[in-house]
Amino acid sequence: MTIEKRDLISLYNLPTEVKFCRKCTISNQRPRITFDKNGVCSACNFKEHKKNDIDWLDRERELKELCDKHRRTDGSYDVIVPCSGGKDGSFVASMLKSKYKMNPLTVTWAPHIYTDIGRKNLDNFIQIGGFNNILGSVNGAINRRMSRLAFIHMGDNFQPFIYGQTNFPLRMAVQHNVQLIMYGENGEVEYGGDLSNAYKPTRDIADHDKHYFSGKPPEFWEEHGVTRKDIYPYLPPKYDDIVKNETEIHFMSYYIDWDPQENFYHCVENTGFETNPTRSEGTYSKYASLDDKTDGYHYYLAYIKFGIGRATSDTAHEIRDEKITREEGIALVKKYDGEFPKKYFRIFLDYLDITEEQFWDVIDSWRSPHLWEKINNEWKLRHTIWNES
Ligand SMILES: [Zn+2]
């Protein structure tokens, strides 16, 4: 296994000088985020815009109109809700069903390796929440091989999951002749990224393509022995079929004031959602991204590539949502960010069929010298938010 050293700066178009947002904890190393002249990030500015300029009653009217346009009376499904059984998708499905009287079909792309709590939450969502659900599960051997290739060549073991997660709902929409797909939040907009969709409720299908296939097209997989047949379930339906179906992708976060913590409370009450008994490694939270034993490495790689770990992401949006102060956020980042996910490490190495040494070779190949330095044989971030002047 030969591992090439990566040039992160050109690969992700990263600024060479690290800066932290004056309001939250995110740095300018998050791909596609922008900072204004006052050193405030685009996600904080977007939050401010939502607080000051948006009439949420107006937005709710738009949502009702959208539901009325798509609502069916013949008993068939009228909206697809992508949902893992986690708090956000469950919240969307629950709201659409109970408040807006829609008939959702919820669709789930199975994780690589379920955690007990993740599986339980999906079961609760179906049994207690009362939803119809289609679970997309793929050939485990292929999933595993793709995850291994993605870890080694893309620095993200989660890439195959992301393909399935984003394309499976489209396939289900076309198959079931449902035009409306309702996602929870638009992560690009809410957490800093490409703002081209910030002021509209939808994502263009072409744009969807841009974000989810720009990484490595099917040719890459074929070169590494993954056949067309193997990769088929991960791919979107034919573009013409998506268009012919008049498929629309919408985000609930456009229509209602999106607050992950409030979604969590709603799901505990209504869909049988349960938190982890312990916090997730790398952060302090117990209720986000709980489903997959391998996802800790996806977050850990983001920490290595960008210096942005789970605690940074969690604190940044909780500061914007006014749940914690920036000072509290910085203390939490200092305490938890970059904590190594050791709980499932053995399972992860077995799953990818790599040695511990190979694991660290891959990890180190993604450390950019503008972010990392080695002091006394130990890797340290050059710039941290608690050391900034
Ligand atoms: Zn910010």
Side-chain angles (χ1 to χ4, degrees):
M1 192 165 95
T2 46
I3 292 155
E4 47 177 308
K5 190 96 188 94
R6 314 290 168 154
D7 178 1
L8 274 284
I9 292 174
S10 67
L11 209 54
Y12 293 100
N13 198 18
L14 302 180
T16 50
E17 192 190 343
V18 179
K19 286 191 176 137
F20 295 93
C21 172
R22 309 310 312 165
K23 280 192 168 175
C24 69
T25 49
I26 208 79
S27 81
N28 61 355
Q29 302 296 299
R30 184 181 157 100
R32 300 183 295 280
I33 204 166
T34 54
F35 279 49
D36 70 11
K37 61 179 189 317
N38 302 316
V40 176
C41 78
S42 46
C44 284
N45 281 329
F46 186 69
K47 183 78 194 179
E48 208 52 35
H49 156 72
K50 289 210 312 183
K51 239 184 341 202
N52 301 329
D53 312 330
I54 292 177
D55 179 347
W56 290 108
L57 286 173
D58 232 37
R59 288 283 171 96
E60 199 191 1
R61 267 193 289 277
E62 281 186 56
L63 176 60
K64 282 180 181 155
E65 278 168 24
L66 181 77
C67 290
D68 288 344
K69 182 182 147 197
H70 290 278
R71 189 176 290 108
R72 303 250 176 97
T73 52
D74 63 354
S76 61
Y77 299 118
D78 41 31
V79 57
I80 300 273
V81 180
C83 177
S84 67
K87 67 186 190 324
D88 295 332
S90 303
F91 171 75
V92 172
S94 173
M95 290 295 276
L96 286 173
K97 187 180 167 189
S98 57
K99 194 166 178 192
Y100 301 101
K101 308 300 174 204
M102 298 294 277
N103 184 21
L105 172 62
T106 67
V107 302
T108 306
W109 186 253
H112 287 274
I113 311 173
Y114 261 114
T115 60
D116 292 344
I117 188 81
R119 185 69 219 204
K120 191 171 179 201
N121 276 328
L122 180 62
D123 289 343
N124 284 357
F125 171 71
I126 295 167
Q127 303 303 335
I128 299 171
F131 289 93
N132 296 334
N133 177 269
I134 295 180
L135 179 64
S137 307
V138 274
N139 180 334
I142 305 297
N143 218 17
R144 209 175 144 183
R145 178 158 8 123
M146 287 176 66
S147 193
R148 174 191 161 92
L149 288 169
F151 176 73
I152 295 168
H153 298 281
M154 302 177 194
D156 187 5
N157 56 292
F158 233 45
Q159 200 59 43
F161 176 80
I162 293 169
Y163 287 159
Q165 189 194 35
T166 49
N167 293 325
F168 185 61
L170 275 172
R171 192 179 286 283
M172 290 300 102
V174 170
Q175 245 176 49
H176 289 267
N177 185 31
V178 176
Q179 283 65 54
L180 179 61
I181 301 175
M182 185 64 85
Y183 275 93
E185 65 205 322
N186 187 344
E188 278 293 298
V189 172
E190 302 283 325
Y191 304 135
D194 182 350
L195 286 185
S196 59
N197 289 321
Y199 305 102
K200 57 181 186 178
T202 54
R203 176 160 70 204
D204 292 339
I205 300 295
D207 211 60
H208 176 93
D209 223 56
K210 185 180 92 189
H211 278 293
Y212 296 103
F213 295 95
S214 57
K216 299 274 175 185
E219 291 73 37
F220 162 81
W221 300 102
E222 281 188 308
E223 277 164 28
H224 288 87
V226 179
T227 67
R228 290 258 154 182
K229 206 194 285 176
D230 294 338
I231 205 170
Y232 176 78
Y234 299 84
L235 299 180
K238 286 199 190 85
Y239 188 77
D240 288 352
D241 290 342
I242 302 174
V243 175
K244 206 158 67 194
N245 184 53
E246 298 179 25
T247 320
E248 298 175 22
I249 300 176
H250 287 249
F251 293 97
M252 199 68 157
S253 61
Y254 171 87
Y255 297 104
I256 59 166
D257 198 359
W258 189 255
D259 186 328
Q261 199 168 315
E262 297 303 321
N263 298 353
F264 160 67
Y265 293 133
H266 177 94
C267 291
V268 169
E269 284 284 309
N270 296 286
T271 71
F273 183 78
E274 293 178 23
T275 58
N276 232 353
T278 51
R279 66 177 178 82
S280 303
E281 291 169 301
T283 189
Y284 53 95
S285 85
K286 295 179 177 182
Y287 61 60
S289 196
L290 308 174
D291 318 323
D292 195 324
K293 287 184 180 172
T294 70
D295 72 358
Y297 303 92
H298 163 70
Y299 294 108
Y300 188 69
L301 273 151
Y303 173 71
I304 299 298
K305 288 173 177 174
F306 312 117
I308 296 172
R310 287 185 85 159
T312 297
S313 304
D314 286 346
T315 52
H317 82 73
E318 288 199 353
I319 293 166
R320 288 176 211 131
D321 292 345
E322 297 173 12
K323 309 290 184 207
I324 57 174
T325 65
R326 188 171 187 266
E327 285 60 43
E328 287 166 331
I330 291 171
L332 288 164
V333 170
K334 188 174 180 186
K335 191 160 179 196
Y336 296 116
D337 221 31
E339 178 189 27
F340 184 70
K342 59 180 185 305
K343 196 168 164 192
Y344 301 119
F345 191 36
R346 222 2 84 196
I347 290 172
F348 183 69
L349 294 176
D350 285 347
Y351 187 71
L352 296 195
D353 191 23
I354 56 170
T355 64
E356 197 171 333
E357 198 186 346
Q358 287 168 327
F359 173 87
W360 287 111
D361 284 348
V362 171
I363 293 288
D364 290 345
S365 74
W366 291 94
R367 290 185 202 269
S368 178
H370 83 293
L371 292 179
W372 293 95
E373 60 186 338
K374 217 171 193 179
I375 301 172
N376 299 330
N377 227 12
E378 214 182 305
W379 287 108
K380 295 260 184 226
L381 279 174
R382 289 176 190 272
H383 314 278
T384 57
I385 192 163
W386 63 90
N387 272 335
E388 66 172 339
S389 49

